[in-house]
Amino acid sequence: QRSAAKNLLWWGLRHFGSRPGTAVVQLDGVRAGDGGVVLLRITHPDAYQLTAVAGVATVRQMLERPRPGVWTAASFVEPARFLGQLEGMGASVVWEGVGG
């Protein structure tokens, strides 16, 4: 016979576990100077893993070069390294409209 905790765990896994599909984070912007459109699209087959990968990439950078004080992730992380680390952990990073 299942305990209440076990039932709750199985219910949570069935209702909130990863679903088939792809997680997509997309940023659209306008390039300074010429007004061209820039697109950054980050995808991963699992939304939970994409969230974890972003957290791991941020913590890695914080541990590699500690700074005193309180920092937000956005002000601490180097974007190019961060995106490279995401790719290294299985995310797809695609830029469109850059450099032209």
Coordinates of all heavy atoms in Angstrom, one line a residue:
Q1 N 0.8 -1.2 0.0 CA 0.0 0.0 0.0 C 0.9 1.2 0.0 O 1.9 1.3 0.7 CB -0.9 0.0 1.2 CG -1.9 1.1 1.2 CD -2.9 1.0 2.4 OE1 -2.8 0.0 3.2 NE2 -3.8 1.9 2.5
R2 N 0.5 2.2 -0.8 CA 1.3 3.5 -0.9 C 1.0 4.4 0.2 O -0.1 4.6 0.6 CB 1.0 4.2 -2.2 CG 1.5 3.5 -3.5 CD 1.3 4.4 -4.6 NE 1.6 3.8 -5.9 CZ 1.6 4.4 -7.0 NH1 1.2 5.7 -7.1 NH2 1.9 3.8 -8.1
S3 N 2.0 5.1 0.6 CA 1.9 6.2 1.6 C 1.4 7.4 0.9 O 1.5 7.6 -0.3 CB 3.2 6.4 2.3 OG 4.1 7.0 1.4
A4 N 0.9 8.4 1.7 CA 0.4 9.7 1.2 C 1.6 10.4 0.5 O 1.4 11.0 -0.6 CB -0.2 10.5 2.3
A5 N 2.8 10.4 1.1 CA 3.9 11.0 0.5 C 4.3 10.4 -0.9 O 4.6 11.2 -1.9 CB 5.1 11.0 1.4
K6 N 4.2 9.1 -1.0 CA 4.5 8.5 -2.2 C 3.5 8.8 -3.3 O 3.8 9.1 -4.5 CB 4.6 7.0 -2.0 CG 5.2 6.2 -3.1 CD 5.3 4.7 -2.8 CE 6.5 4.1 -3.3 NZ 6.5 2.7 -3.0
N7 N 2.2 8.8 -2.9 CA 1.1 9.2 -3.8 C 1.3 10.7 -4.3 O 1.2 10.9 -5.5 CB -0.2 9.1 -3.2 CG -0.7 7.6 -3.0 OD1 -0.2 6.8 -3.8 ND2 -1.5 7.4 -2.1
L8 N 1.7 11.5 -3.4 CA 1.9 12.9 -3.8 C 3.1 13.1 -4.8 O 3.0 13.8 -5.7 CB 2.2 13.8 -2.5 CG 2.3 15.3 -2.8 CD1 1.1 15.9 -3.4 CD2 2.6 16.0 -1.5
L9 N 4.2 12.3 -4.5 CA 5.3 12.4 -5.4 C 4.9 11.9 -6.8 O 5.3 12.6 -7.8 CB 6.4 11.5 -4.9 CG 7.7 11.3 -5.8 CD1 8.4 12.6 -6.0 CD2 8.6 10.2 -5.2
W10 N 4.3 10.8 -6.9 CA 3.9 10.3 -8.2 C 2.9 11.2 -8.9 O 3.0 11.4 -10.1 CB 3.2 8.9 -8.1 CG 4.3 7.8 -7.9 CD1 4.5 7.1 -6.8 CD2 5.3 7.5 -8.9 NE1 5.6 6.3 -7.0 CE2 6.1 6.5 -8.3 CE3 5.6 7.9 -10.2 CZ2 7.2 5.9 -8.9 CZ3 6.7 7.3 -10.8 CH2 7.5 6.3 -10.2
W11 N 2.0 11.8 -8.2 CA 1.1 12.8 -8.8 C 1.8 14.0 -9.4 O 1.6 14.4 -10.5 CB 0.1 13.3 -7.7 CG -0.8 14.3 -8.2 CD1 -2.0 14.2 -8.9 CD2 -0.7 15.8 -8.1 NE1 -2.6 15.4 -9.3 CE2 -1.7 16.4 -8.8 CE3 0.3 16.6 -7.5 CZ2 -1.9 17.8 -8.8 CZ3 0.2 17.9 -7.6 CH2 -0.9 18.5 -8.3
G12 N 2.8 14.5 -8.6 CA 3.6 15.6 -9.1 C 4.4 15.3 -10.3 O 4.5 16.1 -11.2
L13 N 5.0 14.1 -10.3 CA 5.8 13.7 -11.5 C 4.9 13.6 -12.7 O 5.3 14.0 -13.8 CB 6.5 12.4 -11.2 CG 7.7 12.4 -10.2 CD1 8.2 11.0 -9.9 CD2 8.8 13.3 -10.7
R14 N 3.7 13.0 -12.6 CA 2.8 12.9 -13.7 C 2.3 14.2 -14.2 O 2.2 14.4 -15.4 CB 1.6 12.0 -13.4 CG 1.9 10.5 -13.4 CD 0.7 9.7 -13.3 NE -0.3 10.1 -12.3 CZ -0.3 9.7 -11.0 NH1 0.7 8.9 -10.6 NH2 -1.2 10.1 -10.2
H15 N 2.1 15.2 -13.3 CA 1.5 16.4 -13.7 C 2.5 17.5 -14.1 O 2.2 18.4 -14.8 CB 0.5 16.9 -12.7 CG -0.7 16.1 -12.6 ND1 -0.9 15.0 -11.8 CD2 -1.9 16.3 -13.3 CE1 -2.1 14.5 -12.0 NE2 -2.7 15.2 -12.9
F16 N 3.7 17.5 -13.5 CA 4.6 18.6 -13.7 C 5.9 18.1 -14.3 O 6.8 18.9 -14.4 CB 4.9 19.3 -12.3 CG 3.6 19.8 -11.7 CD1 3.1 19.3 -10.6 CD2 2.9 20.9 -12.3 CE1 1.9 19.8 -10.0 CE2 1.8 21.4 -11.8 CZ 1.3 20.9 -10.6
G17 N 6.1 16.9 -14.6 CA 7.3 16.4 -15.2 C 7.5 16.9 -16.6 O 6.6 17.6 -17.2
S18 N 8.7 16.7 -17.2 CA 9.0 17.2 -18.5 C 8.0 16.6 -19.5 O 7.6 15.4 -19.4 CB 10.4 16.8 -18.9 OG 11.3 17.5 -18.0
R19 N 7.6 17.4 -20.5 CA 6.7 16.9 -21.5 C 7.5 16.9 -22.8 O 8.4 17.6 -23.0 CB 5.5 17.9 -21.6 CG 4.7 18.0 -20.3 CD 3.3 18.1 -20.6 NE 2.4 18.4 -19.6 CZ 2.3 18.0 -18.3 NH1 3.3 17.3 -17.9 NH2 1.4 18.2 -17.5
P20 N 7.0 16.1 -23.8 CA 7.6 16.1 -25.1 C 7.6 17.5 -25.7 O 6.6 18.2 -25.5 CB 6.8 15.1 -25.9 CG 6.0 14.3 -24.9 CD 5.9 15.2 -23.7
G21 N 8.6 17.9 -26.4 CA 8.6 19.2 -27.1 C 9.9 19.9 -26.8 O 10.8 19.3 -26.2
T22 N 10.0 21.1 -27.2 CA 11.2 21.9 -27.1 C 10.9 23.2 -26.3 O 10.0 23.9 -26.6 CB 11.8 22.2 -28.5 OG1 12.1 20.9 -29.1 CG2 13.1 23.0 -28.4
A23 N 11.8 23.5 -25.4 CA 11.7 24.8 -24.7 C 12.4 25.9 -25.6 O 13.5 25.6 -26.1 CB 12.3 24.8 -23.3
V24 N 11.9 27.0 -25.7 CA 12.4 28.1 -26.6 C 12.4 29.4 -25.8 O 11.4 29.8 -25.2 CB 11.7 28.3 -27.9 CG1 12.3 29.4 -28.7 CG2 11.6 27.0 -28.7
V25 N 13.6 30.1 -25.7 CA 13.7 31.4 -25.2 C 14.1 32.3 -26.4 O 15.2 32.0 -27.0 CB 14.7 31.5 -24.1 CG1 14.9 33.0 -23.6 CG2 14.3 30.6 -22.9
Q26 N 13.4 33.3 -26.8 CA 13.7 34.1 -28.0 C 13.7 35.5 -27.6 O 12.8 36.0 -26.9 CB 12.7 33.8 -29.1 CG 13.0 34.6 -30.3 CD 12.1 34.1 -31.5 OE1 12.0 32.9 -31.8 NE2 11.5 35.0 -32.2
L27 N 14.7 36.2 -28.0 CA 14.8 37.7 -27.8 C 14.9 38.3 -29.1 O 15.8 38.0 -30.0 CB 16.1 38.0 -27.0 CG 16.2 37.3 -25.6 CD1 17.6 37.4 -25.1 CD2 15.2 37.8 -24.7
D28 N 14.1 39.3 -29.4 CA 14.1 40.1 -30.6 C 14.6 41.5 -30.2 O 14.2 42.1 -29.2 CB 12.7 40.2 -31.2 CG 12.2 38.8 -31.6 OD1 12.9 38.1 -32.2 OD2 11.0 38.5 -31.2
G29 N 15.4 42.1 -31.0 CA 15.9 43.4 -30.8 C 16.2 44.2 -32.0 O 16.1 43.7 -33.1
V30 N 16.6 45.5 -31.8 CA 16.9 46.3 -33.0 C 18.4 46.7 -32.8 O 18.8 47.2 -31.7 CB 16.0 47.6 -33.0 CG1 16.4 48.5 -34.1 CG2 14.6 47.2 -33.1
R31 N 19.1 46.5 -33.8 CA 20.6 46.8 -33.8 C 20.8 48.4 -33.8 O 20.1 49.1 -34.5 CB 21.2 46.2 -35.1 CG 22.7 46.2 -35.0 CD 23.4 45.4 -36.2 NE 22.7 45.6 -37.4 CZ 22.1 44.5 -38.1 NH1 22.2 43.3 -37.7 NH2 21.5 44.7 -39.3
A32 N 21.6 48.8 -32.9 CA 22.0 50.2 -32.8 C 22.6 50.7 -34.1 O 23.4 50.0 -34.7 CB 22.9 50.5 -31.6
G33 N 22.3 51.9 -34.5 CA 23.0 52.4 -35.7 C 22.1 52.3 -36.9 O 21.6 53.3 -37.4
D34 N 21.9 51.1 -37.4 CA 21.1 50.9 -38.7 C 19.7 50.4 -38.5 O 18.9 50.3 -39.4 CB 21.9 50.0 -39.6 CG 22.0 48.5 -39.2 OD1 21.5 48.2 -38.1 OD2 22.6 47.7 -39.9
G35 N 19.3 50.1 -37.2 CA 18.0 49.7 -37.0 C 17.6 48.3 -37.5 O 16.4 47.9 -37.5
G36 N 18.6 47.5 -37.8 CA 18.3 46.1 -38.3 C 17.8 45.2 -37.2 O 18.1 45.5 -36.0
V37 N 17.1 44.2 -37.5 CA 16.5 43.3 -36.6 C 17.5 42.3 -36.2 O 18.2 41.7 -37.0 CB 15.2 42.7 -37.1 CG1 14.7 41.6 -36.2 CG2 14.2 43.7 -37.4
V38 N 17.6 42.0 -34.9 CA 18.5 41.0 -34.3 C 17.7 40.0 -33.5 O 16.8 40.4 -32.8 CB 19.6 41.6 -33.4 CG1 20.5 40.5 -32.8 CG2 20.4 42.6 -34.1
L39 N 18.0 38.7 -33.7 CA 17.2 37.7 -33.0 C 18.2 36.7 -32.3 O 19.2 36.3 -33.0 CB 16.4 36.9 -34.0 CG 15.7 35.6 -33.6 CD1 14.5 36.0 -32.7 CD2 15.3 34.7 -34.7
L40 N 17.9 36.4 -31.1 CA 18.7 35.4 -30.4 C 17.6 34.3 -29.9 O 16.7 34.6 -29.3 CB 19.3 35.9 -29.1 CG 19.9 34.9 -28.1 CD1 21.0 34.1 -28.8 CD2 20.4 35.6 -26.9
R41 N 17.9 33.1 -30.3 CA 17.0 32.0 -30.0 C 17.8 30.9 -29.3 O 18.8 30.4 -29.8 CB 16.3 31.4 -31.2 CG 15.3 30.3 -30.9 CD 14.6 29.8 -32.2 NE 13.9 30.8 -32.9 CZ 14.3 31.2 -34.2 NH1 15.2 30.6 -34.8 NH2 13.6 32.1 -34.8
I42 N 17.4 30.5 -28.1 CA 18.0 29.5 -27.3 C 16.9 28.4 -27.1 O 15.8 28.6 -26.7 CB 18.4 30.0 -25.9 CG1 19.4 31.2 -26.0 CG2 19.1 28.8 -25.1 CD1 19.6 31.9 -24.8
T43 N 17.3 27.1 -27.5 CA 16.4 26.0 -27.4 C 17.0 24.8 -26.7 O 18.2 24.7 -26.7 CB 15.9 25.6 -28.8 OG1 17.0 25.2 -29.6 CG2 15.1 26.7 -29.5
H44 N 16.2 24.0 -26.1 CA 16.6 22.8 -25.5 C 15.4 21.8 -25.5 O 14.3 22.3 -25.3 CB 17.1 23.0 -24.1 CG 17.8 21.9 -23.5 ND1 17.2 20.8 -23.0 CD2 19.2 21.7 -23.3 CE1 18.1 20.0 -22.5 NE2 19.3 20.5 -22.7
P45 N 15.6 20.5 -25.6 CA 14.5 19.6 -25.7 C 13.8 19.5 -24.3 O 12.7 19.0 -24.3 CB 15.2 18.2 -26.0 CG 16.6 18.5 -26.3 CD 16.9 19.9 -26.0
D46 N 14.4 20.0 -23.2 CA 13.7 19.8 -21.9 C 13.8 21.2 -21.2 O 14.8 21.7 -20.9 CB 14.5 18.8 -21.1 CG 13.8 18.4 -19.8 OD1 13.5 19.4 -19.0 OD2 13.6 17.3 -19.5
A47 N 12.6 21.7 -20.9 CA 12.5 23.0 -20.2 C 13.2 23.0 -18.9 O 13.9 24.0 -18.5 CB 11.1 23.5 -20.1
Y48 N 13.1 22.0 -18.1 CA 13.7 21.9 -16.8 C 15.2 21.9 -16.9 O 15.9 22.6 -16.2 CB 13.2 20.7 -16.0 CG 11.8 20.7 -15.6 CD1 10.9 19.8 -16.0 CD2 11.3 21.7 -14.8 CE1 9.6 19.8 -15.6 CE2 10.0 21.8 -14.4 CZ 9.1 20.8 -14.8 OH 7.8 20.9 -14.5
Q49 N 15.7 21.2 -17.9 CA 17.2 21.1 -18.1 C 17.7 22.5 -18.6 O 18.8 22.9 -18.2 CB 17.6 20.1 -19.1 CG 17.6 18.7 -18.4 CD 18.1 17.6 -19.4 OE1 18.7 17.9 -20.5 NE2 18.0 16.4 -19.0
L50 N 16.9 23.2 -19.4 CA 17.4 24.5 -19.9 C 17.5 25.5 -18.7 O 18.4 26.2 -18.6 CB 16.4 25.1 -20.9 CG 16.7 26.4 -21.5 CD1 18.1 26.4 -22.1 CD2 15.7 26.9 -22.5
T51 N 16.5 25.4 -17.8 CA 16.6 26.2 -16.6 C 17.8 25.9 -15.7 O 18.5 26.8 -15.3 CB 15.3 26.0 -15.7 OG1 14.2 26.4 -16.5 CG2 15.3 26.9 -14.5
A52 N 18.1 24.6 -15.6 CA 19.2 24.2 -14.8 C 20.5 24.6 -15.4 O 21.5 25.0 -14.8 CB 19.2 22.7 -14.5
V53 N 20.6 24.4 -16.7 CA 21.8 24.7 -17.5 C 22.2 26.2 -17.3 O 23.3 26.6 -17.1 CB 21.6 24.3 -19.0 CG1 22.6 25.0 -19.9 CG2 21.7 22.8 -19.1
A54 N 21.2 27.1 -17.4 CA 21.4 28.5 -17.2 C 21.9 28.8 -15.8 O 22.8 29.6 -15.6 CB 20.1 29.3 -17.5
G55 N 21.3 28.2 -14.8 CA 21.8 28.4 -13.5 C 23.2 27.9 -13.3 O 24.0 28.5 -12.6
V56 N 23.5 26.7 -13.8 CA 24.9 26.2 -13.7 C 25.9 27.1 -14.4 O 27.0 27.4 -13.8 CB 25.0 24.7 -14.3 CG1 26.4 24.3 -14.4 CG2 24.2 23.8 -13.4
A57 N 25.6 27.6 -15.6 CA 26.5 28.5 -16.3 C 26.8 29.7 -15.5 O 27.9 30.2 -15.4 CB 25.9 28.8 -17.7
T58 N 25.7 30.3 -14.9 CA 25.9 31.5 -14.0 C 26.8 31.2 -12.8 O 27.7 31.9 -12.5 CB 24.5 32.0 -13.6 OG1 23.7 32.3 -14.7 CG2 24.6 33.2 -12.7
V59 N 26.5 30.1 -12.1 CA 27.3 29.8 -10.9 C 28.7 29.5 -11.3 O 29.6 29.9 -10.6 CB 26.6 28.6 -10.2 CG1 27.5 28.1 -9.1 CG2 25.3 29.0 -9.6
R60 N 29.0 28.8 -12.4 CA 30.3 28.6 -12.8 C 31.1 29.9 -13.0 O 32.3 30.0 -12.5 CB 30.3 27.8 -14.2 CG 30.2 26.4 -14.1 CD 30.3 25.8 -15.5 NE 30.3 24.3 -15.4 CZ 30.2 23.6 -16.5 NH1 30.3 24.1 -17.7 NH2 30.2 22.3 -16.4
Q61 N 30.5 30.9 -13.6 CA 31.2 32.1 -13.8 C 31.4 32.8 -12.5 O 32.5 33.4 -12.2 CB 30.4 33.0 -14.8 CG 30.6 32.6 -16.2 CD 30.1 33.6 -17.2 OE1 30.2 34.8 -16.9 NE2 29.6 33.2 -18.3
M62 N 30.5 32.7 -11.6 CA 30.6 33.4 -10.3 C 31.7 32.7 -9.5 O 32.5 33.4 -8.7 CB 29.3 33.3 -9.5 CG 28.2 34.2 -10.1 SD 26.7 34.0 -9.2 CE 26.1 35.7 -9.2
L63 N 31.9 31.4 -9.6 CA 32.9 30.7 -8.9 C 34.3 30.9 -9.5 O 35.3 30.9 -8.8 CB 32.6 29.2 -8.8 CG 31.4 28.8 -7.9 CD1 31.1 27.3 -8.0 CD2 31.6 29.2 -6.5
E64 N 34.4 31.0 -10.8 CA 35.6 31.2 -11.5 C 36.3 32.6 -11.1 O 37.5 32.7 -11.1 CB 35.5 31.1 -13.0 CG 35.2 29.7 -13.5 CD 34.8 29.7 -15.0 OE1 34.8 30.7 -15.6 OE2 34.5 28.6 -15.4
R65 N 35.5 33.6 -11.0 CA 36.0 34.9 -10.7 C 35.2 35.6 -9.6 O 34.4 36.5 -9.9 CB 35.9 35.7 -12.0 CG 37.1 36.6 -12.2 CD 37.1 37.4 -13.5 NE 35.9 38.3 -13.5 CZ 34.9 38.3 -14.4 NH1 35.0 37.5 -15.4 NH2 33.9 39.1 -14.3
P66 N 35.3 35.2 -8.4 CA 34.5 35.8 -7.3 C 34.7 37.3 -7.2 O 35.9 37.8 -7.4 CB 35.0 35.1 -6.1 CG 35.8 33.9 -6.5 CD 36.2 34.2 -7.9
R67 N 33.7 38.0 -6.9 CA 33.8 39.5 -6.6 C 33.1 39.7 -5.3 O 32.0 39.1 -5.0 CB 33.0 40.2 -7.7 CG 33.5 40.1 -9.1 CD 32.7 41.0 -10.0 NE 32.8 40.4 -11.4 CZ 32.0 40.8 -12.4 NH1 31.1 41.7 -12.1 NH2 32.1 40.3 -13.6
P68 N 33.6 40.7 -4.5 CA 32.9 41.0 -3.3 C 31.6 41.7 -3.5 O 31.4 42.3 -4.6 CB 33.9 41.9 -2.6 CG 34.7 42.5 -3.6 CD 34.8 41.5 -4.8
G69 N 30.7 41.6 -2.6 CA 29.4 42.3 -2.7 C 28.3 41.4 -3.3 O 28.4 40.2 -3.5
V70 N 27.1 42.1 -3.4 CA 26.0 41.4 -3.9 C 25.8 41.8 -5.4 O 25.8 43.0 -5.8 CB 24.7 41.8 -3.1 CG1 23.5 41.2 -3.7 CG2 24.9 41.5 -1.7
W71 N 25.6 40.8 -6.2 CA 25.4 41.0 -7.7 C 24.2 40.3 -8.2 O 23.9 39.2 -7.8 CB 26.7 40.4 -8.4 CG 27.9 41.1 -8.1 CD1 28.7 40.9 -7.0 CD2 28.6 42.1 -8.8 NE1 29.8 41.7 -7.0 CE2 29.8 42.5 -8.1 CE3 28.3 42.8 -10.0 CZ2 30.6 43.5 -8.5 CZ3 29.2 43.7 -10.4 CH2 30.3 44.1 -9.7
T72 N 23.6 40.9 -9.2 CA 22.5 40.1 -9.9 C 23.2 39.3 -11.0 O 24.3 39.7 -11.4 CB 21.5 41.1 -10.6 OG1 22.2 41.9 -11.6 CG2 20.8 42.0 -9.6
A73 N 22.6 38.3 -11.4 CA 23.2 37.4 -12.4 C 23.5 38.2 -13.7 O 24.5 38.1 -14.4 CB 22.3 36.2 -12.7
A74 N 22.5 39.1 -14.1 CA 22.7 39.9 -15.3 C 23.9 40.8 -15.3 O 24.5 41.1 -16.3 CB 21.4 40.6 -15.6
S75 N 24.2 41.3 -14.1 CA 25.4 42.2 -14.1 C 26.7 41.5 -13.9 O 27.7 42.1 -14.0 CB 25.1 43.3 -12.9 OG 25.1 42.6 -11.7
F76 N 26.6 40.2 -13.6 CA 27.8 39.5 -13.3 C 28.3 38.7 -14.4 O 29.5 38.6 -14.7 CB 27.6 38.5 -12.1 CG 28.8 38.0 -11.5 CD1 29.4 38.6 -10.4 CD2 29.4 36.9 -12.0 CE1 30.6 38.0 -9.8 CE2 30.6 36.3 -11.5 CZ 31.2 36.9 -10.4
V77 N 27.4 38.1 -15.2 CA 27.7 37.1 -16.2 C 28.2 37.8 -17.5 O 27.6 38.8 -17.9 CB 26.5 36.2 -16.5 CG1 26.7 35.4 -17.7 CG2 26.1 35.4 -15.3
E78 N 29.2 37.2 -18.1 CA 29.7 37.7 -19.4 C 28.9 37.0 -20.5 O 28.9 35.7 -20.6 CB 31.2 37.3 -19.6 CG 32.1 38.1 -18.6 CD 33.5 37.6 -18.6 OE1 33.9 36.9 -19.6 OE2 34.3 37.9 -17.7
P79 N 28.1 37.7 -21.3 CA 27.1 37.1 -22.2 C 27.7 36.1 -23.2 O 27.2 35.0 -23.3 CB 26.5 38.3 -22.9 CG 26.7 39.4 -22.0 CD 28.0 39.2 -21.3
A80 N 28.8 36.4 -23.8 CA 29.4 35.5 -24.8 C 29.8 34.2 -24.2 O 29.5 33.1 -24.7 CB 30.6 36.1 -25.5
R81 N 30.5 34.2 -23.0 CA 30.9 33.0 -22.3 C 29.6 32.2 -21.8 O 29.6 31.0 -21.9 CB 31.7 33.4 -21.1 CG 33.1 33.6 -21.4 CD 34.0 33.8 -20.2 NE 33.9 32.7 -19.3 CZ 34.0 32.9 -18.0 NH1 34.2 34.1 -17.4 NH2 33.9 31.9 -17.2
F82 N 28.6 33.0 -21.3 CA 27.4 32.3 -20.8 C 26.7 31.5 -22.0 O 26.4 30.4 -21.8 CB 26.5 33.4 -20.3 CG 25.1 32.9 -19.9 CD1 25.0 32.3 -18.6 CD2 24.0 33.0 -20.6 CE1 23.8 31.8 -18.2 CE2 22.8 32.6 -20.2 CZ 22.7 32.0 -19.0
L83 N 26.6 32.1 -23.1 CA 25.9 31.5 -24.3 C 26.8 30.3 -24.7 O 26.2 29.2 -25.1 CB 25.7 32.4 -25.4 CG 24.7 33.5 -25.1 CD1 24.6 34.5 -26.2 CD2 23.3 33.0 -24.8
G84 N 28.1 30.4 -24.7 CA 29.0 29.3 -25.0 C 28.8 28.1 -24.1 O 28.8 27.0 -24.4
Q85 N 28.7 28.5 -22.8 CA 28.5 27.4 -21.8 C 27.1 26.7 -21.9 O 27.0 25.5 -21.8 CB 28.6 28.0 -20.4 CG 30.1 28.4 -20.0 CD 30.2 29.1 -18.7 OE1 29.3 30.0 -18.3 NE2 31.2 28.8 -17.9
L86 N 26.1 27.5 -22.3 CA 24.8 26.9 -22.6 C 24.9 25.9 -23.7 O 24.4 24.7 -23.6 CB 23.8 27.9 -23.0 CG 23.3 28.9 -21.9 CD1 22.2 29.8 -22.5 CD2 22.9 28.3 -20.6
E87 N 25.6 26.2 -24.8 CA 25.8 25.3 -25.9 C 26.6 24.1 -25.4 O 26.3 23.0 -25.8 CB 26.6 26.0 -27.0 CG 25.7 26.9 -27.8 CD 26.4 27.6 -29.0 OE1 27.5 28.2 -28.8 OE2 25.9 27.4 -30.1
G88 N 27.6 24.3 -24.6 CA 28.4 23.2 -24.1 C 27.6 22.2 -23.3 O 28.0 21.0 -23.1
M89 N 26.5 22.6 -22.7 CA 25.7 21.8 -21.9 C 24.4 21.3 -22.6 O 23.4 20.9 -22.0 CB 25.3 22.5 -20.6 CG 26.5 22.6 -19.7 SD 26.1 23.3 -18.1 CE 26.3 25.0 -18.4
G90 N 24.4 21.5 -24.0 CA 23.3 20.9 -24.8 C 22.2 21.8 -25.3 O 21.4 21.3 -26.0
A91 N 22.3 23.1 -25.0 CA 21.3 24.0 -25.6 C 21.8 24.4 -26.9 O 23.0 24.5 -27.3 CB 21.2 25.2 -24.7
S92 N 20.8 24.8 -27.8 CA 21.1 25.3 -29.1 C 21.0 26.9 -29.0 O 20.0 27.4 -28.5 CB 20.2 24.8 -30.1 OG 20.3 25.5 -31.3
V93 N 22.0 27.6 -29.5 CA 22.0 29.0 -29.5 C 22.2 29.5 -30.9 O 23.2 29.2 -31.6 CB 23.2 29.6 -28.6 CG1 23.2 31.1 -28.6 CG2 23.0 29.1 -27.1
V94 N 21.2 30.3 -31.4 CA 21.2 30.8 -32.8 C 21.0 32.3 -32.8 O 20.1 32.8 -32.2 CB 20.1 30.1 -33.6 CG1 20.0 30.6 -35.0 CG2 20.2 28.6 -33.6
W95 N 21.9 32.9 -33.5 CA 21.8 34.4 -33.7 C 21.4 34.6 -35.1 O 22.0 34.0 -36.0 CB 23.2 35.1 -33.5 CG 23.6 35.2 -32.1 CD1 24.4 34.4 -31.3 CD2 23.3 36.3 -31.2 NE1 24.6 34.9 -30.1 CE2 23.9 36.1 -30.0 CE3 22.5 37.4 -31.3 CZ2 23.8 36.9 -28.9 CZ3 22.4 38.3 -30.2 CH2 23.0 38.0 -29.0
E96 N 20.6 35.6 -35.3 CA 20.2 36.0 -36.7 C 20.3 37.5 -36.8 O 19.9 38.2 -35.8 CB 18.8 35.6 -37.1 CG 18.6 34.1 -37.2 CD 17.2 33.6 -37.5 OE1 16.4 34.5 -37.8 OE2 16.9 32.5 -37.3
G97 N 20.8 38.1 -37.9 CA 20.9 39.5 -38.1 C 22.1 40.2 -37.4 O 22.1 41.4 -37.2
V98 N 23.1 39.4 -37.0 CA 24.2 39.9 -36.3 C 25.3 40.2 -37.3 O 25.6 39.3 -38.2 CB 24.7 39.0 -35.2 CG1 26.0 39.5 -34.5 CG2 23.6 38.8 -34.2
G99 N 26.0 41.3 -37.2 CA 27.2 41.6 -38.0 C 26.9 42.1 -39.4 O 27.8 42.2 -40.2
G100 N 25.7 42.5 -39.6 CA 25.4 43.1 -41.0 C 24.7 44.3 -40.9 O 24.5 45.3 -41.2

